[in-house]
Amino acid sequence: MNNFNYLRASDVQDAISQSAREADVKYLAGGTNLIDLMKYNLTRADILVDINRISDHREITELPDGGLRLGAFVKNAATAWNHLVEEHYPLLSKAILAGASAQIRNMATNGGNLLQRTRCYYFYDANVPCNKREPGSGCSAITGYQRIMAILGTTEHCIAVFPSDMCVALAALDAVVQVEGPQGMRSIHFADFHRLPGDTPHIDNNLKPGEIITGIDLPAKGFSKNYSYLKLRDRNSYAFALVSVATGLELDGETITDARIALGGVAHKPWRVAAAEDFLKGKTASGENFRQAAEIIVQGAVGYEHNAFKIELAKRAIVRNCMMALHPESQLPGAQPSA
């Protein structure tokens, strides 16, 4: 870990003012990812600004349009168990509880969850090339062991995946990220927050220098009646997804009037395909229609030696999760999803 100066911010503007210095400034909230990265010398900071004592943005509040604002400094666990989230956005609650461990969820913040970095083996190994860590050095994963790597949205520069569970649900819910920075406040649609690797895989998101996430807005439609979150992984706890799926459906009898499907574990950002959701609108909620939507979602997927299985796995996961969304009670322990 490199030497750094440690400062405590009293409010958001105080924290932002530190970013004006000619130095590498990092903000410290829960620290569940940042501290690891610093300890392993995978990232560095000249100034570490502790924002834990900022009193604002620590609540979950209802919005005038019927939506919900998640304060960026609210812990993941508190968000998952909040009665408003559980009642109106159970998809989000399920996704958060599928991630990490109870101890980490008690420390990690909502804003920090959006900013976590990939868990690619090669990103964490400072002895091998990695374009995310050292731009232009190469991608060791492409010729290495790719079991957990991306199958969608990849380039020759990077095949790493974004690890968050919470963000998959936020993508499906059409959340909006509220940020504040040196140029003031702005809103970022969730689909535009994270980036695909392109030729700049070291840039994970579209935050501008010095900006802090202050909140995450959820629209009024929460798909609270028909929803499901499915996470497929190598072990049942404290493991990142090989494939995860967040599904929200709105039904009129057996007819789908609205559909949201987002995938995790398959790309550099949560993956949604509007064409698949549009295809389902007006269709009967059936396994066959869900299978056709799955084909649209994974169109163009590219597998490598060790992760090609994820293409078929993703298709099956989509169908299974959509069927589970028809009967949310099927997510209870011991229940069997509809075929």
Side-chain angles (χ1 to χ4, degrees):
M1 181 181 288
N2 67 286
N3 293 326
F4 57 87
N5 291 318
Y6 172 82
L7 301 173
R8 292 177 179 174
S10 57
D11 55 39
V12 170
Q13 282 302 316
D14 182 28
I16 292 171
S17 68
Q18 304 301 333
S19 68
R21 303 186 180 207
E22 293 185 4
D24 191 349
V25 177
K26 295 284 192 302
Y27 297 130
L28 174 66
T32 55
N33 188 208
L34 176 61
I35 298 302
D36 282 345
L37 294 172
M38 293 182 67
K39 285 194 298 184
Y40 290 113
N41 289 315
L42 300 176
T43 193
R44 59 182 294 118
D46 297 318
I47 301 174
L48 193 64
V49 180
D50 190 333
I51 58 178
N52 282 291
R53 286 164 178 77
I54 296 176
S55 59
D56 296 330
H57 313 299
R58 295 186 174 278
E59 297 180 347
I60 295 176
T61 56
E62 296 181 84
L63 295 171
D65 64 358
L68 207 62
R69 173 163 295 176
L70 312 176
F73 300 157
V74 178
K75 305 296 187 182
N76 286 175
T79 302
W81 296 117
N82 179 273
H83 71 282
L84 293 172
V85 175
E86 287 189 288
E87 181 179 355
H88 299 291
Y89 306 92
L91 175 59
L92 177 59
S93 181
K94 293 281 187 184
I96 294 173
L97 294 174
S101 65
Q103 295 90 337
I104 290 177
R105 293 193 297 267
N106 285 336
M107 283 296 298
T109 62
N110 291 337
N113 190 289
L114 275 60
L115 301 177
Q116 61 184 298
R117 306 212 69 191
T118 184
R119 266 55 173 195
C120 172
Y121 321 121
Y122 302 100
F123 174 73
Y124 273 85
D125 185 350
N127 296 310
V128 300
C130 171
N131 286 322
K132 287 187 72 64
R133 189 172 8 90
E134 296 180 24
S137 63
C139 177
S140 297
I142 290 178
T143 56
Y145 184 59
Q146 313 99 357
R147 179 173 174 79
I148 66 170
M149 304 302 173
I151 56 173
L152 290 161
T154 60
T155 69
E156 69 274 17
H157 302 291
C158 184
I159 59 171
V161 301
F162 182 64
S164 171
D165 288 283
M166 178 180 180
C167 287
V168 182
L170 291 175
L173 291 169
D174 264 344
V176 176
V177 184
Q178 303 297 337
V179 304
E180 188 169 349
Q183 282 75 50
M185 302 179 184
R186 68 185 181 113
S187 301
I188 308 173
H189 191 278
F190 204 83
D192 300 324
F193 185 83
H194 297 101
R195 297 165 55 106
L196 291 176
D199 56 4
T200 55
H202 59 291
I203 305 175
D204 292 334
N205 56 66
N206 287 311
L207 281 181
K208 296 177 181 178
E211 286 187 327
I212 294 178
I213 299 172
T214 58
I216 303 164
D217 289 358
L218 304 177
K221 184 181 289 187
F223 298 93
S224 59
K225 291 184 178 180
N226 295 101
Y227 66 91
S228 181
Y229 186 74
L230 177 65
K231 181 176 183 178
L232 304 179
R233 44 189 165 174
D234 285 326
R235 61 181 186 272
N236 199 38
S237 66
Y238 200 47
F240 296 102
L242 291 170
V243 174
S244 62
V245 189
T247 299
L249 299 175
E250 198 166 78
L251 303 173
D252 181 4
E254 295 184 355
T255 302
I256 301 168
T257 60
D258 199 3
R260 305 282 178 78
I261 303 173
L263 270 63
V266 298
H268 205 255
K269 61 182 288 186
W271 191 262
R272 268 184 71 186
V273 177
E277 297 172 355
D278 290 341
F279 165 81
L280 287 173
K281 294 176 184 177
K283 300 287 198 310
T284 300
S286 68
E288 179 55 35
N289 284 327
F290 293 141
R291 276 186 280 274
Q292 291 188 53
E295 291 289 345
I296 297 171
I297 291 171
V298 302
Q299 187 174 3
V302 176
Y304 294 83
E305 180 182 1
H306 304 105
N307 76 342
F309 73 94
K310 291 176 71 169
I311 299 175
E312 181 63 25
L313 184 66
K315 294 179 187 178
R316 297 188 181 197
I318 292 166
V319 176
R320 177 183 170 190
N321 199 51
C322 287
M323 296 302 292
M324 291 169 67
L326 300 180
H327 305 282
E329 66 276 8
S330 67
Q331 301 172 64
L332 296 174
Q336 296 296 319
S338 302

